Structure formats: structure tokens, C-alpha cells
Amino acid sequence: MQLRYSFRLYPDAGQQTALAKAFGCARVVFNDAVRAREDARKAEQPFPTAGQLSTRLITEAKRTVQRSWLGEVSVVVLQQSLRDAESAYRNFFASLKGTRKGPRAGPPRFKSRKDTRQSIRFTANARWKITNSGRLNLPKIGAVKVKWSRTLPTAPTSVTVIKDAAGRYFASFVIDTDPQADAERMPTTDRTLGIDLGLTHFVVLSDGTKIDSPRFLRRAEKKLKKTQKGLSRKQKGSKNREKARLKVARAHAKVADARHDFHHQLSTKLISENQGIAVEDLSVRGLARTRLAKSVHDAGWASFVNMLEYKAQRYGRTLIKIGRFEPTSQICSTCGVNDGPKPLDVREWTCAACGTVHDRDTNAAINVKTAAGLAVSACGAPLRPGAIPAQREETGSPGFPTEPRAA
């Protein structure tokens, strides 16, 4: 499977200027490709192929006065931008035909220079490398300082340079991992676990363990309110407004990073300690339309479950999702009698059939585990993880050589 490893970049002033040029050139080529396709559609002509677009929008455009500055950046960056446009159209048409899974994809839109996220991608053809001093040497940009927080397990196939809304730069490497080798790194265990997701407690485990919700957004609301108020008071188009916008973006990035780190640590701990994990397939999008929307988004259930999915596939563990309509809060985990629905303020209840006193969340976690076991044993098959797509897969990364690049 393929994973992405992200590291913080610290380019100097000259390298930031070169990256800004690369971001702008990639954006222009992408917009030109979308415009060429739209013109062909309006004229009722066949769409130009990828080769025709590459010749017209890159090779020939460099010879014109209007697009001569395209030669100041690596040609691989421009070619990858065209590939992104092709991929966007491919996803759009597949979504129209119903052959694409997931939410419906809309037609590609023009990119703006004011977008909060800019990115460019370098493949093996760009001849980028990691120097002996640990810097990332990018063509026509230079050797950029990298903060290596961990080692790369294998040679990367491509690197994507990203600038986020907070003005931070990141290098995202695509890594081809070996699931068998990763599974051998995990300790052997036969434990199974059921997880009940909540708001007061982020997760309640079937063994009775309760992990409180950190509520990163709620704790940072006061600071976010102050920075947002300062932004609203700045004149539009001024430099002070741009400085205030960066403050708001950095405050939100701090909250998102803390939540992301919490999800990673907890998911890794659960995956390493348990062979099988059962979780309820919640409708996060539906819950986000209720009065609990802010708390639901603050918890980040979908991100946490996605981490459990790809880590279970990577390390040879089992993750089972049960249906969201399973009455886990109504069934007695001791005798199996359905005691009916209960309001949310009822946190403990006594089974009318057997008299067992249940904690609502712990009982639900036990029922999640039981329902997952019954679902698997009914088909007579052993526990095996289902087909899960690779986490954060990069477009256009497969098929490139993986020579040793890291120092």
C-alpha cells in the first residue's frame, strides 16, 4: 500500500520566491487545461488529449511572450499539473456514470491565486534528491531545509511541496510500504475490542475504559474569537488584514494539529494492542446537521475511523464496522433483551429482564463487539480486514522507479 509522510520545510526568502513562481505556473497550466476543455465542449468538438494539451500549453506556450515565464520552473511541475486536470475530469465523468465510489464529484473549477492551499509535485523524472546534509534539493528551487521528525521506511516515489493557509511549507513523500513487514513489527495478540464513539467521552471501550474528549476547538474558542474579531476590523485588501488572516489560520491550524496528533496516538495504541476492533459506522454528516454540530466536528470521528482503517490494513489487524442502525444502546449485553430506546440524559439503566445495571456507553461498546462477532461468524469466515484504499494516495505516483534517494 501507499502512504504519505509529511515533513515541515523551512525555505529561505529566495526559495519562497521560487516556490511562489512554481505554484503560480502550475496553477496557470491547470486553468489553461480546464479552459481548453471547456472551449472544446462549447464548440462541440472532441476533447484534446493529454499529449495535445502538453504540446500546446507547455512546449509551444513557452515560446510565446505571454507564457515565456513558464520556462523558469521545472517542466515536471507543469506536466503533473496537467495530469491533475486529467484526473479531475476522469473522476467527474466516472461520478456521472456512477462507477466512482464516494460523494459525487463536480466538474473541475479554475484555481485562484488566493486559494489558501497551493501545491506542486515532483516525480522521479524531476531528479530531485535528499542531500547528504539532510536537505531536500528541488530543481530550480534549491536545497530546502527539512525538519526530519522520523526516518523514511523506503525510498519515496514522489514528493509534493505544499503551502497551507497558515503560510507553512510541507514536503509530502509517497512511500510504498510492505504490509507483511509492517505486520511483523506489531506484537502478537489475540485481544478483540469494541468501541463506542461519543462526545463526553471520545471513546468508550468494551473493557470499561473511558477516554475523555479533549475538545480542542472548545478550549480554543476564546482565542479564535479574539483573532477573528481582529480580522473583521481590518480594511479589506490591506497588509494588516493579511497579517490578521494569518493569525486566524495559525490558530485554527494549531487546533487541527492537536486533534490530528491525538487521533494518531490513540489509533496506533488501539491497533497495536488488539487483533480485532469493532466500531459503529456513524453518519457523521447527518449528525453534523443537528444542534450538536460543533461538538461533532470537534470530535473528528471520521478522521479517527479512517486512521483505524488504514492502520489495520497496514499492520495486519482486523477492523469491522457494524450498521449504524444496530440498537447497541437498547440491548442488554448480558441477556440480549431489547429494552427499548432511551433519551440521551439516561446514562445508566437497569435491564427489566435480568436486573443488570448497565453503564450506557460501556454496554453499547460491548454490543458493538458482539454484533461484529455475530456478523462474521454467521458467514463462517475468519476475521479478515476488508478492501481499504491506501491512505492519502498521491495522483500519478505509481509506476515510477524507486532508486535510493535518502541519505
Side-chain angles (χ1 to χ4, degrees):
M1 64 182 299
Q2 289 184 328
L3 296 175
R4 288 201 302 173
Y5 280 64
S6 295
F7 303 91
R8 183 78 180 270
L9 294 180
Y10 294 93
D12 55 29
Q15 293 168 349
Q16 291 183 18
T17 303
L19 286 172
K21 289 181 180 180
F23 292 145
C25 292
R27 182 178 62 250
V28 167
V29 171
F30 183 92
N31 291 342
D32 288 346
V34 174
R35 187 177 294 107
R37 284 230 175 186
E38 288 299 310
D39 293 342
R41 182 185 64 83
K42 293 178 181 178
E44 298 182 354
Q45 296 178 353
F47 283 156
T49 63
Q52 294 172 345
L53 288 177
S54 178
T55 302
R56 185 197 313 175
L57 303 181
I58 299 178
T59 306
E60 296 179 355
K62 288 181 180 180
R63 302 169 185 165
T64 63
V65 179
Q66 295 82 1
R67 292 286 191 269
S68 60
W69 33 264
L70 290 177
E72 299 178 6
V73 301
S74 173
V75 68
V76 175
V77 170
L78 308 181
Q79 292 172 347
Q80 292 301 309
S81 185
L82 283 181
R83 177 172 289 188
D84 289 343
E86 289 293 320
S87 178
Y89 273 106
R90 197 180 305 114
N91 292 336
F92 170 59
F93 292 131
S95 182
L96 289 180
K97 296 178 182 178
T99 58
R100 182 178 183 271
K101 296 182 180 180
R104 183 170 180 175
R109 297 180 295 180
F110 294 111
K111 292 184 178 181
S112 172
R113 60 192 297 264
K114 297 182 180 179
D115 288 343
T116 57
R117 185 182 183 275
Q118 304 282 345
S119 64
I120 53 175
R121 184 168 57 254
F122 297 89
T123 58
N125 297 334
R127 300 182 183 277
W128 59 272
K129 64 179 181 179
I130 300 175
T131 64
N132 294 331
S133 59
R135 289 178 176 257
L136 179 63
N137 195 355
L138 301 174
K140 296 190 178 182
I141 293 176
V144 186
K145 181 181 178 181
V146 186
K147 179 66 175 179
W148 298 103
S149 56
R150 50 184 171 172
T151 58
L152 295 174
T154 58
T157 60
S158 70
V159 59
T160 301
V161 180
I162 303 170
K163 181 182 179 182
D164 64 1
R168 303 177 300 177
Y169 294 87
F170 295 92
S172 177
F173 297 93
V174 179
I175 302 297
D176 292 315
T177 62
D178 184 7
Q180 183 176 0
D182 291 333
E184 294 176 355
R185 292 165 44 195
M186 280 291 165
T188 304
T189 179
D190 57 353
R191 290 184 55 188
T192 57
L193 195 68
I195 297 178
D196 179 65
L197 299 172
L199 296 177
T200 304
H201 300 285
F202 180 72
V203 293
V204 177
L205 309 181
S206 56
D207 59 4
T209 305
K210 294 184 178 182
I211 300 176
D212 293 334
S213 179
R215 299 183 179 181
F216 296 107
L217 179 62
R218 295 288 187 180
R219 292 190 300 177
E221 276 184 326
K222 186 176 181 180
K223 183 177 180 179
L224 291 173
K225 180 180 179 180
K226 183 179 179 180
T227 55
Q228 188 66 48
K229 186 184 293 185
L231 174 63
S232 64
R233 291 174 176 174
K234 300 297 185 294
Q235 183 179 358
K236 291 186 177 180
S238 64
K239 292 185 178 180
N240 286 335
R241 184 176 178 86
E242 177 61 21
K243 294 178 183 178
R245 187 200 66 79
L246 282 177
K247 286 185 179 180
V248 174
R250 287 166 183 162
H252 280 284
K254 187 176 181 180
V255 174
D257 291 345
R259 184 188 299 115
H260 197 68
D261 181 69
F262 170 73
H263 288 169
H264 263 301
Q265 292 193 28
L266 181 58
S267 60
T268 301
K269 182 176 183 295
L270 295 178
I271 288 294
S272 62
E273 294 178 353
N274 300 276
Q275 177 62 38
I277 297 178
V279 65
E280 191 175 3
D281 185 18
L282 297 175
S283 176
V284 179
R285 182 173 298 180
L287 291 171
R289 298 192 188 102
T290 65
R291 60 186 179 87
L292 301 174
K294 183 179 290 188
S295 298
V296 170
H297 287 303
D298 191 11
W301 293 330
S303 172
F304 175 70
V305 174
N306 287 337
M307 290 181 185
L308 288 177
E309 284 183 346
Y310 86 83
K311 289 180 182 181
Q313 183 190 18
R314 180 181 182 184
Y315 297 111
R317 305 302 198 190
T318 301
L319 179 70
I320 302 174
K321 290 184 180 181
I322 69 169
R324 65 189 61 170
F325 299 108
E326 190 75 22
T328 55
S329 298
Q330 305 175 19
I331 297 177
C332 174
S333 59
T334 303
C335 63
V337 173
N338 191 328
D339 212 11
K342 303 164 187 65
L344 290 177
D345 59 343
V346 177
R347 309 315 302 173
E348 290 187 357
W349 56 281
T350 304
C351 178
C354 63
T356 305
V357 179
H358 291 291
D359 179 272
R360 181 192 183 103
D361 299 328
T362 305
N363 178 74
I366 297 174
N367 287 330
V368 168
K369 177 182 176 180
T370 303
L374 290 175
V376 173
S377 62
C379 33
L383 295 176
R384 291 185 182 274
I388 303 172
Q391 178 77 354
R392 300 176 178 176
E393 184 176 355
E394 290 282 328
T395 305
S397 59
F400 291 98
T402 58
E403 299 92 352
R405 295 182 180 272

